[in-house]
Amino acid sequence: METLGELVLLVILIIVCFSARGCSQAQPQGPQVPCFFIFGDSLVDNGNNNGMLTLSRANYRPYGIDFPQGTTGRFTNGRTFVDALAQLMGFPSYIPPYSRARGPELLRGVNYASGAAGIRDETGDNLGAHTSMNGQVANFANTVLQMRRLFRGDTNALTSYLSKCIFYCGLGSNDYLNNYFMPNFYTTSSDFTAKAYAASLIQDYTRQLTQLHSLGARKVIVTAVGPIGCIPYQLARYHSNATRCNENINKAIVLFNTELRKVVDRFNGGQLQGAKFVYLDSYKSSTDLYQNGTANGFEVIDKGCCGVGRNNAQITCLPLQQPCTDRRKYLFWDAFHPTDQANIMFAQASYGSPSYTYPINIQGLASL
């Protein structure tokens, strides 16, 4: 026997489906999970920073040049990683940003990601306003309150609903790029050794992920920090005969990633009741794509498609700048972010393959 909350939900979902543009293009079986919630930084931000006073914004051309909806605030030419992942999971339309998600559409999920955001609150302050992971968790708590009203106060039905959803958490990149390795603006590199800094980040992140669990998250993807030492922004600034990449940064990141995988083991081992966490090794997937660029169809792996100066990365993509013509041949769109083509490859590799996910792939997580 359905509860009142579940019956109300069914009616709302039917209304959302018929009012959503793209519903008719859904896969026959529909989405594999009822909703998808996203927490992160500019790698997955889809417009939350548009109204903020910040340098970390992408709501201008040529960003979105290959995206059906044009310029939206995504930091790439087309789809982000989570856009591609949502498509693989069968969602008929993209998950809306928190800045404009309202009413019944909250039931499909929300994207809270904010460019320049980090695990630490001060991370990214050098670029201006943003919503840190603490702020994003607080915004999700607000969403849960709104969803409770949609469920007519039926907490059990809401808890059951959220337990079936996928949560994606991709934080940490800016805690290194726009904090620890920016000593002119932040003191963290003198306050912490690289190992102590990783431990501090993990402590904060563990608390934040535990808060998400207390709010209803059960199926969670946590992403490793990628090899930031190899992005065009760093290649333009770093000169070494031994390696193309800045291995000082990469070594510090590996310390964080190693501990993050242990957190997943602890959560899955009973520390969080009913939790099913997946560790997404984006460090390995990015490194593999970088080292085997040509085999994957990428002719340019060390320059942004759009940018200024050495590696097209000393200054990132400027408003109305003319980007490269064949974006499919570039691994990076700008000084920091992958192209649409790279994001699709990353998503496909993590969704159905066990190569970059632990202990199961994302498709397996969705089916649990």
Side-chain angles (χ1 to χ4, degrees), residues 7-21 23 102-105 107-108 150 152:
L7 287 170
V8 170
L9 170 64
L10 182 60
V11 172
I12 290 172
L13 285 175
I14 291 170
I15 293 169
V16 168
C17 184
F18 279 103
S19 63
R21 285 181 299 173
C23 211
R102 299 289 182 272
E105 71 176 338
L107 295 167
R108 285 193 305 111
L150 294 171
R152 298 294 189 269

Side-chain angles (χ1 to χ4, degrees), residues 87-286:
Q87 289 181 317
L88 288 168
M89 290 193 290
F91 283 92
S93 52
Y94 299 114
I95 304 303
Y98 177 74
S99 58
R100 61 173 180 79
R102 299 289 182 272
E105 71 176 338
L106 299 174
L107 295 167
R108 285 193 305 111
V110 179
N111 186 331
Y112 303 91
S114 173
I119 294 167
R120 294 173 67 94
D121 286 340
E122 84 277 6
T123 287
D125 280 351
N126 54 296
L127 294 169
H130 59 274
T131 306
S132 67
M133 182 55 171
N134 282 327
Q136 292 178 38
V137 173
N139 286 342
F140 175 63
N142 182 51
T143 297
V144 171
L145 286 176
Q146 294 179 63
M147 291 179 75
R148 193 168 291 151
R149 288 196 286 273
L150 294 171
F151 276 81
R152 298 294 189 269
D154 191 335
T155 305
N156 289 338
L158 175 57
T159 301
S160 173
Y161 186 77
L162 289 173
S163 72
K164 299 179 181 75
C165 303
I166 294 271
F167 291 74
Y168 170 94
C169 299
L171 277 299
S173 298
N174 287 308
D175 293 293
Y176 287 95
L177 190 61
N178 287 299
N179 193 324
Y180 193 73
F181 286 99
M182 195 171 276
N184 292 337
F185 201 93
Y186 301 96
T187 62
T188 43
S189 59
S190 55
D191 296 339
F192 298 94
T193 64
K195 187 174 182 180
Y197 187 63
S200 176
L201 288 177
I202 289 294
Q203 185 177 12
D204 290 342
Y205 205 19
T206 299
R207 175 182 48 77
Q208 292 158 349
L209 294 170
T210 302
Q211 284 178 301
L212 284 182
H213 177 269
S214 71
L215 290 165
R218 292 297 178 270
K219 297 200 240 184
V220 185
I221 303 161
V222 291
T223 312
V225 175
I228 292 171
C230 301
I231 64 174
Y233 174 81
Q234 289 298 332
L235 298 181
R237 284 156 178 74
Y238 183 72
H239 308 285
S240 169
N241 294 328
T243 173
R244 301 180 70 180
C245 303
N246 185 334
E247 293 304 332
N248 289 334
I249 295 179
N250 287 347
K251 284 174 185 174
I253 286 165
V254 167
L255 293 172
F256 172 83
N257 290 342
T258 302
E259 293 306 310
L260 184 59
R261 182 167 160 145
K262 292 176 187 175
V263 170
V264 167
D265 278 334
R266 289 198 296 273
F267 284 166
N268 287 339
Q271 189 170 315
L272 294 183
Q273 188 176 0
K276 304 172 187 78
F277 275 70
V278 165
Y279 173 77
L280 176 56
D281 194 347
S282 47
Y283 189 97
K284 186 172 187 289
S285 62
S286 299

